[in-house]
Amino acid sequence: EDEDEESYSSRNSWRSNFQFGSVLSDPIEASHRETLGLSSWAPLTLEDVKHAYRACALKWHPDDSTKAEAEAKFKFCNVAYESLIKKL
Amino acid sequence: MASSAAQIHALGGIGIATYSSSSKSNLNSAKRQAVVNPENTFSSVKRFIGSRMDEVAEESKQVSYRVVKDENENVKLDCPAIGKQFAAEEISAQVLRKLVDDASSFLDEKVTRAVITVPAYFNDSQRRATKDAGRIAGLDVLRIINEPTAASLAYGFERKSNETILVFDLGGGTFDVSVLEVSEGVFQVLSTCGDTHLGGDDFDKRVVDWLASNFKKDEGIDLLKDKQALQRLTEAAEKAKIELSSLTQTNISLPFITATADGPKHIETTLTRTKFRELCSDLLDRCKTPVENSLRDARLKFKDIDEVILVGGSTRIPAVQEVVRKLTGKEPNVTVNPDEVVALGAAVQAGVLAGDVSHIVLLDVTPLSLGTNTVGDVRKRCRECTTSTRNLRGSERAEVLQVQRRNETLRTDSVMSKIIPRNTTLPTSKSKVFTTVDDGQTRVRFHVLQGEREFARDNKCLGSFLLDGIPPAPRGVPKIDVKFDIDANGILSATATDRATGNKQEITITGSTTLSKDEVEKMVKEAERFAKDDKQKREAIDTKNQADSVVYQTEKQLKEFGEKIPGEVKEKIESKLQELEDKIGSGSTQEIKDSMAALNQVMQIGQSMCNQAGPEAGAGAGPSPWR
């Protein structure tokens, strides 16, 4: 049941990109895209997701960043990346 | 900042090279020592670090020294020469200390911080034990990094292209495989796999067993029982193995290996490359599984791999290279020095951590899954339980509800529920919802487990904690959130929160399972004391040498310029000189120093008088008598 719903929503989100412009029907995907700094309407490609994730890693990985919130931010990026990559 | 970075670089560079692979300079003298004094010479200690006796039973039979267990089943290494049992951490600390000293004297600066590498497939306990070893050696260990990942850093440091690489790392005692994607300065580990009980030492062992069984067949004597003969066999086996990397056959000659009533016995034989491959065929087969598994975990095919990089001394074995070639269908990349590349990578990471290297980031993973004990998935095992994921709302829907026993100790039938799966990028936080298995259950003990085995007891237990005070309720009703967190430094913490009361219990895994905090503290102090002793000994020797040369110089000058100074002063100098000579024979370091200072004083008086007596004579004396 869960799986059906997931694939349905991801199919739908694709369609809605084009039907309604900028609004994604899947709020989780929308927030994941936002986390990685990806456009909320463009079609998802493997290259784009990877590139965005790398940029985030260079910016937020605690080894490279001295900012206090870096670790938490990077963990969000990880979650977003894992989730988006599964859809591809 | 720059100088501190340089320190770390150097240690990374030198430290790892000797620590991980067992070859090179000072080990040669240790190897000679091993033949004469097998019970007191330690090698391959890395195989025992952070382990319990039952985990290393096989290895402990293969070394020349005695491996014993303490009251907690932890491994200790027996050193009969000084009547002490050492933890593997202490021996490793000695190695690290020597490396730090070498690095310090090379840089002419004190080295205090380090990046240490470990096999990627090391579990948490082995990593922490390695960190403890660093602390015992007086080091601030900035990071423990994985050897294949370090190798990839060194390899990809200067390249900017987008590549998927497979690192095949077969060292002296362990085997690792990592698949990485390197692009835009990001080194992303996709998967890692390995075998912590496979390495060059096993190849040597095969040759030793072959030699010993042949000898037994011919002479009826079991050489494996004779520690000294075993050590000589091992040495010869390793030499033969190395020679077979460049020759197709080699001679093994061991005169006077043992003696019987008939007289001395010798070994004189030839080993061919083909025979060697045959002896090691199952070891070569064992190299295949981790390669296949790591690719599967990375969801890649062999055709997706751009480069295969060989790391570790054992990858020089032609048969190993052939396995890689056949398996991957690629010519392995041998441009990197397999002994040094890991150390270079550690130095790069040290640079990143010190802020000297930017635009490079290493995304490493946890090699083994982490989780806790449970009786299993509710949906599968407890259909009578009222909870199911269907009744939960929103984001909880995706969570799997697990049931938890109250037992203090791990039951034989409890299974491991994974919370952080292997190959998850670090740092990370993950959580799962658990519930109770009995009606009215008020307490739950969570064990923090690491490993891939189905049953909890087959995995490594890193620690446990108790969540108490759960309000009595029918089984399956309470909801307990269990969160596991690994930070960038690899510190693992686990938290359990009862949703009804907000009650929270947590554990931070800081130490290894083999040594307690107190024990490490004690060892740090002991090592510091030993280091102090060593320093004093060195100082005594240095002072003595200095005093000897002062005596020589003074005598020489007295002979040359003795006539030019008044007899009174000359006598004074002579008496002080005699005093110093006496002190060199019997006095303490401080006394020698004092006598030297006293002699220096009278010599200066003599020198100035000499200068007054005639400038041409003074010029010859030089500014100071003993420069």
Side-chain angles (χ1 to χ4, degrees):
Chain A
E1 187 206 44
D2 283 353
E3 267 173 32
D4 278 356
E5 198 174 288
E6 211 173 272
S7 62
Y8 176 69
S9 75
S10 79
R11 244 198 334 267
N12 241 16
S13 70
W14 218 86
R15 195 179 301 148
S16 65
N17 290 342
F18 292 94
Q19 285 179 345
F20 308 110
S22 67
V23 186
L24 265 176
S25 67
D26 181 349
I28 293 173
E29 186 184 328
S31 88
H32 286 162
R33 281 176 174 233
E34 199 188 326
T35 306
L36 292 185
L38 284 163
S39 141
S40 57
W41 55 268
L44 217 54
T45 71
L46 189 65
E47 245 342 281
D48 288 350
V49 174
K50 282 189 172 178
H51 179 77
Y53 176 64
R54 282 181 205 126
C56 284
L58 282 168
K59 191 172 174 195
W60 293 115
H61 193 284
D63 284 353
D64 268 16
S65 173
T66 49
K67 292 196 177 88
E69 74 273 24
E71 185 161 322
K73 284 255 191 189
F74 181 65
K75 282 178 184 170
F76 278 127
C77 297
N78 273 342
V79 172
Y81 173 73
E82 277 170 35
S83 159
L84 292 179
I85 215 92
K86 269 184 202 153
K87 290 178 195 272
L88 290 162
Chain B
M1 199 66 200
S3 74
S4 71
Q7 287 168 356
I8 315 171
H9 276 247
L11 183 64
I14 303 165
I16 318 314
T18 320
Y19 186 55
S20 62
S21 62
S22 53
S23 49
K24 301 293 159 261
S25 60
N26 65 330
L27 287 176
N28 284 334
S29 64
K31 277 179 181 166
R32 268 195 306 278
Q33 161 88 356
V35 177
V36 193
N37 197 357
E39 293 94 356
N40 294 305
T41 309
F42 302 108
S43 59
S44 306
V45 172
K46 199 175 172 183
R47 284 195 171 191
F48 300 107
I49 202 161
S51 300
R52 284 158 53 95
M53 196 61 191
D54 51 339
E55 294 164 336
V56 291
E58 204 42 53
E59 273 88 352
S60 63
K61 287 183 214 143
Q62 292 172 14
V63 290
S64 64
Y65 46 92
R66 228 159 58 82
V67 181
V68 294
K69 57 182 174 186
D70 67 1
E71 63 274 19
N72 298 319
E73 296 283 316
N74 294 321
V75 170
K76 287 274 171 349
L77 313 175
D78 190 35
C79 182
I82 57 167
K84 200 186 155 188
Q85 296 188 344
F86 286 104
E89 286 90 329
E90 287 174 285
I91 306 291
S92 296
Q94 290 290 333
V95 177
L96 287 172
R97 194 175 278 276
K98 161 84 178 126
L99 296 166
V100 170
D101 283 350
D102 287 352
S104 295
S105 60
F106 178 76
L107 291 166
D108 209 10
E109 258 179 292
K110 202 167 154 49
V111 173
T112 52
R113 299 188 288 164
V115 171
I116 303 179
T117 65
V118 295
Y121 222 50
F122 254 22
N123 67 31
D124 197 65
S125 180
Q126 291 166 306
R127 282 162 201 269
R128 281 174 212 291
T130 306
K131 211 169 181 176
D132 284 345
R135 285 191 50 212
I136 296 168
L139 285 171
D140 175 13
V141 181
L142 293 181
R143 184 68 56 87
I144 296 287
I145 66 168
N146 295 323
E147 281 158 10
T149 324
S152 78
L153 262 182
Y155 166 80
F157 186 48
E158 298 292 331
R159 298 166 168 250
K160 285 286 165 221
S161 59
N162 184 349
E163 278 183 315
T164 305
I165 60 178
L166 184 142
V167 181
F168 184 100
D169 178 0
L170 187 64
T174 56
F175 175 44
D176 281 325
V177 179
S178 286
V179 178
L180 294 105
E181 209 171 79
V182 184
S183 185
E184 302 163 63
V186 178
F187 292 71
Q188 186 184 0
V189 180
L190 302 178
S191 68
T192 206
C193 207
D195 187 337
T196 49
H197 302 281
L198 178 64
D201 296 350
D202 297 299
F203 289 77
D204 299 345
K205 184 77 175 54
R206 287 300 150 88
V207 179
V208 169
D209 288 346
W210 175 72
L211 289 171
S213 76
N214 282 352
F215 192 79
K216 196 170 181 186
K217 214 161 50 199
D218 298 343
E219 308 283 347
I221 302 167
D222 188 2
L223 289 176
L224 298 179
K225 287 199 178 113
D226 175 355
K227 290 261 179 195
Q228 201 164 327
L230 175 63
Q231 193 55 47
R232 282 185 69 196
L233 284 175
T234 309
E235 202 182 2
E238 190 189 352
K239 191 167 151 268
K241 174 188 76 180
I242 292 168
E243 282 173 358
L244 286 177
S245 293
S246 47
L247 305 169
T248 50
Q249 67 171 40
T250 179
N251 286 321
I252 299 172
S253 168
L254 287 161
F256 303 102
I257 190 76
T258 190
T260 63
D262 309 336
K265 299 282 174 201
H266 321 289
I267 290 180
E268 189 69 51
T269 186
T270 302
L271 179 62
T272 63
R273 204 184 264 185
T274 321
K275 181 69 189 170
F276 176 64
R277 186 175 310 174
E278 185 194 312
L279 292 173
C280 302
S281 64
D282 63 316
L283 298 176
L284 294 168
D285 280 340
R286 269 168 70 190
C287 292
K288 290 178 185 164
T289 323
V291 176
E292 284 158 355
N293 288 351
S294 63
L295 271 177
R296 187 199 59 210
D297 285 356
R299 289 187 216 95
L300 292 176
K301 299 270 184 303
F302 283 114
K303 65 171 172 49
D304 301 321
I305 303 291
D306 298 312
E307 284 285 347
V308 178
I309 297 166
L310 298 182
V311 180
S314 304
T315 56
R316 290 203 176 91
I317 300 172
V320 171
Q321 294 186 359
E322 203 183 294
V323 166
V324 177
R325 209 173 286 131
K326 269 196 180 148
L327 197 58
T328 61
K330 284 206 166 49
E331 194 56 38
N333 182 321
V334 288
T335 56
V336 298
N337 179 330
D339 295 325
E340 288 169 7
V341 66
V342 168
L344 289 174
V348 173
Q349 178 69 0
V352 171
L353 295 177
D356 265 21
V357 178
S358 54
H359 306 297
I360 288 250
V361 68
L362 181 59
L363 306 181
D364 218 332
V365 299
T366 171
L368 294 156
S369 302
L370 287 151
T372 189
N373 53 309
T374 158
V375 298
D377 192 329
V378 239
R379 286 175 300 189
K380 274 189 250 159
R381 290 178 192 246
C382 279
R383 292 203 185 277
E384 74 272 24
C385 290
T386 49
T387 27
S388 92
T389 51
R390 214 166 279 229
N391 299 339
L392 299 167
R393 276 173 296 128
S395 63
E396 286 170 13
R397 188 188 294 233
E399 294 171 350
V400 180
L401 206 62
Q402 312 262 344
V403 285
Q404 192 69 36
R405 282 190 197 276
R406 74 179 86 189
N407 296 79
E408 292 292 310
T409 51
L410 273 178
R411 284 171 53 117
T412 50
D413 63 342
S414 56
V415 295
M416 169 159 161
S417 163
K418 287 175 189 169
I419 294 175
I420 300 180
R422 66 166 185 272
N423 297 324
T424 300
T425 303
L426 303 180
T428 185
S429 303
K430 295 216 184 256
S431 55
K432 256 187 186 176
V433 191
F434 288 80
T435 187
T436 53
V437 74
D438 293 322
D439 290 332
Q441 184 178 339
T442 58
R443 50 197 288 179
V444 164
R445 178 163 285 275
F446 290 94
H447 293 260
V448 179
L449 304 168
Q450 187 172 36
E452 305 304 324
R453 303 284 296 272
E454 179 80 7
F455 287 100
R457 70 198 155 111
D458 295 329
N459 294 297
K460 180 92 185 167
C461 182
L462 303 172
S464 74
F465 64 103
L466 185 75
L467 181 68
D468 215 341
I470 303 165
R475 63 185 164 202
V477 171
K479 287 193 186 65
I480 304 158
D481 287 312
V482 176
K483 188 175 142 199
F484 274 36
D485 183 285
I486 307 176
D487 74 5
N489 293 312
I491 306 290
L492 167 68
S493 52
T495 320
T497 318
D498 175 19
R499 280 195 199 168
T501 59
N503 256 350
K504 197 167 149 184
Q505 277 303 325
E506 59 190 320
I507 183 173
T508 303
I509 315 280
T510 48
S512 73
T513 54
T514 46
L515 291 178
S516 72
K517 246 190 184 146
D518 294 344
E519 282 174 299
V520 174
E521 278 312 314
K522 210 180 106 200
M523 287 171 183
V524 170
K525 289 211 182 83
E526 228 166 70
E528 273 167 9
R529 208 182 65 228
F530 277 129
K532 223 169 137 193
D533 284 353
D534 288 349
K535 211 176 148 197
Q536 279 169 353
K537 269 182 212 154
R538 200 176 309 153
E539 203 188 339
I541 293 167
D542 286 350
T543 312
K544 224 170 173 178
N545 287 340
Q546 202 189 345
D548 277 339
S549 92
V550 167
V551 169
Y552 172 76
Q553 288 286 339
T554 312
E555 280 170 348
K556 195 175 149 204
Q557 295 202 353
L558 274 179
K559 225 182 258 170
E560 265 178 63
F561 309 110
E563 291 120 45
K564 293 198 171 130
I565 47 173
E568 184 197 341
V569 179
K570 195 179 169 188
E571 261 168 46
K572 237 184 199 165
I573 292 175
E574 277 168 346
S575 82
K576 292 286 176 201
L577 181 64
Q578 186 57 46
E579 201 179 298
L580 178 60
E581 278 182 85
D582 292 345
K583 293 292 184 221
I584 293 173
S586 60
S588 72
T589 307
Q590 194 52 49
E591 281 171 339
I592 297 174
K593 274 187 183 168
D594 291 346
S595 303
M596 261 200 295
L599 178 62
N600 191 9
Q601 231 169 14
V602 290
M603 273 302 276
Q604 260 166 13
I605 298 170
Q607 207 175 19
S608 64
M609 285 180 163
C610 193
N611 287 344
Q612 278 164 11
E616 67 282 359
S624 166
W626 39 76
R627 282 283 155 85

